[in-house]
Amino acid sequence: MSYLDELNDIQRQAVEHISGPAMIIAGPGSGKTRVLTYRIAHLMELDIDPFNILALTFTNKAAKEMTKRIEKIAGNDARNLFIGTFHSVFARLLRNDGDKLGYPSNFSIYDTQDSRNLIKTIVKEMGVGTDLYKPNMVHNRISNAKNMLLTPMAYIQHPDLRIADEMSGRPKTGEIYLEYNKRCFRSGAMDFDDLLFQMYQLLVKFPEVLGRYQKQFQFVMVDEFQDTNVAQYAIVKKLAEQHRNISVVGDDAQSIYAFRGATIENILNFQNDYKELKVFKLEQNYRSTKSIVDVANQLIKKNTNQLDKTIWTENPKGDAIKVFCTDSDNDEAKKVVDSIFEETLRYHYQYSDIAILYRTNAQSRAMEDALRIKNIPYKIYSGTSFYDRKEVKDMLAYLKLVVNHKDEVALERIINYPTRGIGKTTWQKCVLLTKQYDTTLWEILSDIDRPEYKLKKRVQKAITDFVTMIKSFASLLDKKNAYEVAADLAKASGMLPKLYDDKTVEGVSRYDNFQALLNSIKEFVESDEVGTLGADAEDKSLGSYLQQVMLITNQDKIQGDNTISMMTVHTAKGLEYPLVYVVGMEEDLFPSKMARSSRDALEEERRLFYVAVTRAEKKLRLSFAYRRFKFGEYITCHPSSFLADLPAQHLEIVGKIRKPQSAYARSNKTTTSNHNLKPIQKEKNIPFSNDPNFHPDDVSKITVGEKVRHQRFGTGTVLDIEGAGKDKIATIAFSETGQKRILLKFAKLQIISNG
């Protein structure tokens, strides 16, 4: 069977449409990854050189999965495709041509923490106060400016931005941006936003480079187009300008990253830039039940700013969407965890089948406490990243400095770690020398014994030994792979012995993390997985490893362990689970208080809830609390107005709806009377019995009519048995908890008597 035969009609049309611009509007669960993958494979089947195909994604995981799928259809040539995240692809291109902008080919990439540390240093030097100019706030301001393609001078001269900064009491933000850019450039470093900003500058300032890439990339494809920002779309438009074979895949209803600079206008107004655009709507959902799809459709229809489409499915109706009304956040957590316990016991869901989603990370605490009480394993995503741990960042700083001696952020971090007698006073004196002699810190350190520097002999020797060590490892970069360099440097730097000698509980944990980092480098070197970006897949150098680590996305960290997955809705985008709990469905939480500022903000919050709803395959559970503990006291909460957007016929209310105080009731006054939306009594939560006389019996030959006892559900009568062998399912009417269907091979039942 041809790979094309696996597609439905509209999917196949989208795959086979090759020439000219195309927009594939892909609803949740509609097979967009398959369409994008098969479209690339189809190009290769038509003898298009893979070197001429560029596909941009938002996660490395998506890029790797696409490459593997394409390889199954088109063979090993798939390894020559340019598939990767915007940042990884542009980093690759900037390695080749960044020298035209004055950057070294081995430039460092600063992560968010590196950037904020540098901003903190600049703010201190300027003496304007870190309390007012908080590094995270200034960094966000600079990041937004770069995503809008504003240079520091353009930012300083922009009247609206200047007024906004003055009104916020931070008029020096533009000057900090200017100095920050100078420091990054001097260090031979780019931050995440520079990988976009500088890529655009390269294409604009050097027409010959633009022409070369336009000639190479004859077919340009963009995944998750609704998440692109101004800079990303501007670059893509330039690259596709010559051949106009640009295809974008996305869903405006899942545009949820405005706070990162993403603009929904890119997808809404795409047709204005390409009048000959061909539009394909993938509206069939293969993921979720009909109830979930209907609820999602009804929800998103409330938005006015959207592309016209209606998602549908041939899947079964499935369970109703349960809404848990709870007294407090702790009560909510208990109800959710009790429900999880029940679902795993009765329906045999694995923990890995289940996700708990929330609007803010702060909501995880109560859920964690309740899960621990039940001994249910869980994992929180988007917490502290492994690569943000101190011992890991320290070692990465050593590796970055070996690759790029100009990296002043890395240099400051480890010049005196482990302690080698180069204190803050010496460091500050060296910084002053860079200004006095208009040179870099590395140049100062490399010639530290100059008499005019007036440093003590002991300090001179410590610095000289440090510089010699870094240079000696740099000389090995072309002779050894990443792991060999890192393993030797771990010992020579003194980091490995220092961590090994610390036998405290925290010390052992830090040592384990350090070993895990070295193991990850070894895995990188030994891995033969399909890579991306053509020849880079075979590059096992230290520079290649550092680039890969610095460009890891949140979703790349999500593993398939048998644990409950806990994360914000933003983090969950692109994922799917059989059973999903969305907690904290309250006004000013979801939607957030910030959403009141404008219709656009409220519509983005509704799109975020739409994303949460459509993560669910089989079952969806929503919950809210009437009280939540904040700022040291309980505050009164009201059910989210979004709940009023949901069709009542698909909901099952568990618990008591309070009226008329409820914002839910006020915003949807006719719901109860018109739709008969009444609270449905939750079955009693019977705890496990500790009866010492309970002993499970062999139930393989159990018959209809027998009376049985279950540790949790109580006493009941077998009404029906279906299936055979290990797949037998018994329907049992329990007097305390109602009728249950139980898979007998997992059941622990005590037979009381025959009926």
Side-chain angles (χ1 to χ4, degrees):
M1 183 176 71
S2 167
Y3 62 93
L4 294 174
D5 294 333
E6 299 175 24
L7 305 170
N8 65 33
D9 289 344
I10 193 67
Q11 288 175 336
R12 183 161 183 160
Q13 291 174 34
V15 166
E16 292 183 323
H17 176 79
I18 300 304
S19 301
M23 179 164 65
I24 302 167
I25 303 172
S30 62
K32 76 173 180 66
T33 303
R34 172 176 286 190
V35 170
L36 189 57
T37 298
Y38 283 19
R39 200 169 195 276
I40 296 170
H42 191 59
L43 285 171
M44 294 177 64
E45 290 289 291
L46 295 175
D47 292 329
I48 302 298
D49 192 326
F51 284 100
N52 297 142
I53 300 172
L54 171 64
L56 298 168
T57 70
F58 275 85
T59 68
N60 298 300
K61 179 182 176 182
K64 288 183 178 180
E65 287 178 356
M66 285 171 58
T67 306
K68 287 179 180 178
R69 289 192 195 184
I70 296 167
E71 187 177 25
K72 288 181 180 179
I73 298 172
N76 289 335
D77 272 358
R79 300 187 178 214
N80 296 324
L81 291 162
F82 267 72
I83 297 181
T85 65
F86 283 88
H87 293 87
S88 63
V89 170
F90 297 161
R92 165 72 173 139
L93 301 183
L94 286 165
R95 298 273 180 214
N96 294 335
D97 292 295
D99 61 314
K100 296 177 177 61
L101 296 169
Y103 287 90
S105 62
N106 61 345
F107 63 82
S108 297
I109 298 175
Y110 284 171
D111 64 15
T112 300
Q113 188 175 329
D114 294 331
S115 296
R116 291 178 179 176
N117 286 343
L118 178 55
I119 289 169
K120 185 176 181 180
T121 298
I122 293 169
V123 168
K124 283 184 177 179
E125 290 177 3
M126 291 177 65
V128 292
T130 53
D131 288 339
L132 187 58
Y133 289 87
K134 295 187 185 321
N136 61 327
M137 295 179 69
V138 176
H139 179 243
N140 289 339
R141 198 78 170 153
I142 293 172
S143 176
N144 288 334
K146 288 183 179 179
N147 288 332
M148 293 294 292
L149 299 174
L150 290 173
T151 64
M153 290 310 301
Y155 182 98
I156 290 170
Q157 295 168 5
H158 196 291
D160 293 341
L161 295 175
R162 185 175 67 253
I163 291 171
D165 286 341
E166 288 173 353
M167 290 182 66
S168 68
R170 290 181 283 271
K172 300 285 187 182
T173 301
E175 293 178 36
I176 297 171
Y177 178 17
L178 182 64
E179 182 61 23
Y180 172 77
N181 256 27
K182 287 179 180 177
R183 296 284 183 93
C184 287
F185 184 77
R186 190 175 74 187
S187 293
M190 296 189 196
D191 63 20
F192 289 151
D193 301 305
D194 277 325
L195 296 175
L196 306 178
F197 183 86
Q198 298 300 344
M199 185 70 209
Y200 181 79
Q201 297 299 318
L202 179 67
L203 299 180
V204 170
K205 293 179 178 179
F206 299 93
E208 71 280 8
V209 175
L210 173 61
R212 173 158 39 92
Y213 287 132
Q214 285 179 338
K215 183 179 179 181
Q216 177 178 350
F217 299 130
Q218 297 174 21
F219 295 87
V220 178
M221 277 162 268
V222 182
D223 191 17
E224 303 287 6
F225 185 61
Q226 77 280 347
D227 293 336
T228 54
N229 58 34
V230 169
Q232 287 164 328
Y233 184 33
I235 295 167
V236 167
K237 273 200 294 188
K238 285 198 167 295
L239 292 174
E241 200 169 37
Q242 181 175 331
H243 296 283
R244 295 179 73 81
N245 292 326
I246 178 173
S247 59
V248 300
V249 182
D251 180 9
D252 59 294
Q254 298 185 64
S255 178
I256 60 173
Y257 291 117
F259 69 97
R260 292 184 190 169
T263 171
I264 193 173
E265 283 73 19
N266 285 351
I267 191 167
L268 294 179
N269 301 327
F270 189 63
Q271 193 158 4
N272 295 339
D273 293 327
Y274 299 93
K275 302 297 184 184
E276 73 276 34
L277 181 70
K278 181 72 174 176
V279 178
F280 303 92
K281 295 181 181 180
L282 308 184
E283 296 174 300
Q284 182 175 2
N285 180 294
Y286 293 94
R287 174 190 300 161
S288 305
T289 63
K290 191 174 187 303
S291 293
I292 293 170
V293 169
D294 288 350
V295 163
N297 275 334
Q298 188 71 21
L299 170 71
I300 205 63
K301 280 180 182 177
K302 299 289 183 179
N303 276 10
T304 57
N305 201 19
Q306 61 179 304
L307 299 170
D308 180 49
K309 63 182 176 300
T310 301
I311 307 304
W312 59 277
T313 185
E314 293 180 345
N315 291 338
K317 180 181 178 180
D319 282 15
I321 286 76
K322 290 187 179 181
V323 181
F324 297 110
C325 315
T326 68
D327 180 62
S328 66
D329 47 356
N330 287 331
D331 184 38
E332 177 189 41
K334 183 178 183 302
K335 292 284 198 306
V336 167
V337 172
D338 283 347
S339 173
I340 289 173
F341 189 81
E342 179 182 332
E343 294 287 349
T344 55
L345 186 69
R346 291 179 62 185
Y347 303 107
H348 311 296
Y349 280 101
Q350 298 294 308
Y351 293 133
S352 57
D353 294 333
I354 303 171
I356 299 174
L357 309 183
Y358 33 76
R359 182 63 181 83
T360 66
N361 281 307
Q363 293 169 251
S364 69
R365 181 204 56 80
M367 292 293 160
E368 286 187 80
D369 291 346
L371 287 165
R372 280 197 292 265
I373 289 172
K374 289 282 191 180
N375 290 319
I376 295 176
Y378 65 90
K379 183 174 289 187
I380 295 180
Y381 295 98
S382 266
T384 301
S385 165
F386 172 78
Y387 295 101
D388 288 337
R389 292 183 170 94
K390 180 185 182 302
E391 59 276 8
V392 174
K393 284 194 74 69
D394 288 339
M395 187 61 199
L396 289 175
Y398 269 106
L399 300 176
K400 288 164 75 172
L401 191 62
V402 166
V403 172
N404 173 20
H405 299 336
K406 290 183 177 181
D407 189 337
E408 294 185 4
V409 170
L411 179 58
E412 182 178 9
R413 186 178 187 96
I414 47 89
I415 191 170
N416 197 41
Y417 181 79
T419 305
R420 51 176 61 90
I422 308 172
K424 286 185 178 180
T425 302
T426 300
W427 173 259
Q428 289 167 357
K429 186 167 186 178
C430 290
V431 170
L432 290 174
L433 289 172
T434 64
K435 297 175 181 178
Q436 182 180 343
Y437 291 95
D438 191 25
T439 187
T440 66
L441 273 165
W442 185 255
E443 291 300 322
I444 294 293
L445 298 179
S446 296
D447 202 14
I448 199 66
D449 56 356
R450 288 175 60 173
E452 57 267 37
Y453 291 170
K454 300 178 181 178
L455 289 174
K456 296 178 180 178
K457 293 290 185 183
R458 176 186 57 79
V459 174
Q460 288 179 359
K461 183 179 186 310
I463 291 176
T464 299
D465 290 345
F466 174 78
V467 169
T468 300
M469 176 183 66
I470 297 299
K471 285 182 175 179
S472 67
F473 279 96
S475 69
L476 300 176
L477 291 177
D478 294 330
K479 303 171 186 176
K480 294 187 174 183
N481 63 38
Y483 176 73
E484 291 168 333
V485 174
D488 290 345
L489 181 56
K491 299 171 187 173
S493 65
M495 272 202 69
L496 189 62
K498 179 178 176 62
L499 291 169
Y500 180 78
D501 289 341
D502 185 352
K503 299 303 181 183
T504 64
V505 174
E506 296 81 3
V508 171
S509 176
R510 284 191 288 268
Y511 180 77
D512 288 343
N513 290 334
F514 193 83
Q515 289 292 344
L517 175 65
L518 294 179
N519 289 338
S520 78
I521 302 175
K522 190 170 186 179
E523 288 173 9
F524 165 79
V525 169
E526 296 177 350
S527 173
D528 58 357
E529 279 190 6
V530 177
T532 56
L533 303 183
D536 269 16
E538 304 303 322
D539 185 355
K540 301 301 182 182
S541 68
L542 184 58
S544 180
Y545 171 78
L546 289 172
Q547 176 172 311
Q548 174 180 294
V549 167
M550 299 308 295
L551 297 176
I552 286 175
T553 66
N554 281 341
Q555 281 204 353
D556 297 325
K557 303 167 192 170
I558 296 176
Q559 305 295 325
D561 301 331
N562 190 27
T563 58
I564 303 289
S565 295
M566 296 176 60
M567 65 191 82
T568 64
V569 182
H570 281 102
T571 302
K573 186 172 178 296
L575 303 175
E576 56 191 56
Y577 295 87
L579 174 56
V580 170
Y581 293 82
V582 186
V583 301
M585 291 301 305
E586 297 139 31
E587 283 296 294
D588 294 340
L589 182 55
F590 204 176
S592 73
K593 198 170 186 177
M594 299 287 289
R596 293 181 182 179
S597 62
S598 68
R599 174 175 290 277
D600 286 346
L602 181 60
E603 292 203 350
E604 171 140 341
E605 282 289 296
R606 188 176 283 112
R607 291 194 297 269
L608 187 61
F609 184 34
Y610 177 82
V611 167
V613 167
T614 55
R615 297 313 91 201
E617 298 173 353
K618 303 294 184 185
K619 296 183 180 183
L620 174 65
R621 307 288 185 248
L622 310 174
S623 66
F624 65 85
Y626 285 108
R627 294 185 304 147
R628 193 166 290 275
F629 199 72
K630 287 184 179 179
F631 312 117
E633 62 181 1
Y634 274 107
I635 63 168
T636 300
C637 304
H638 299 291
S640 170
S641 54
F642 287 161
L643 295 175
D645 296 338
L646 308 182
Q649 67 269 26
H650 290 303
L651 303 184
E652 177 181 327
I653 309 302
V654 181
K656 186 176 181 181
I657 297 178
R658 300 179 184 176
K659 296 181 291 184
Q661 297 88 351
S662 164
Y664 175 57
R666 290 200 303 271
S667 63
N668 195 27
K669 293 178 182 177
T670 62
T671 296
T672 303
S673 58
N674 287 359
H675 299 295
N676 196 31
L677 182 61
K678 296 178 181 177
I680 295 176
Q681 290 301 312
K682 176 75 168 127
E683 62 191 24
K684 293 179 182 178
N685 183 24
I686 307 296
F688 265 90
S689 167
N690 291 319
D691 184 358
N693 296 320
F694 182 90
H695 300 290
D697 291 317
D698 179 8
V699 293
S700 61
K701 296 180 180 179
I702 197 170
T703 58
V704 172
E706 284 189 305
K707 291 189 180 299
V708 296
R709 181 181 292 128
H710 188 279
Q711 279 184 290
R712 184 176 176 210
F713 301 140
T715 303
T717 303
V718 179
L719 301 181
D720 185 34
I721 294 177
E722 55 187 282
K726 294 181 179 180
D727 296 320
K728 277 186 181 180
I729 297 176
T731 301
I732 305 173
F734 292 98
S735 57
E736 295 100 329
T737 55
Q739 191 168 296
K740 314 288 182 187
R741 294 179 76 247
I742 299 179
L743 190 63
L744 288 178
K745 69 178 178 181
F746 293 114
K748 291 183 178 180
L749 298 171
Q750 185 177 29
I751 299 173
I752 300 174
S753 66
N754 291 329

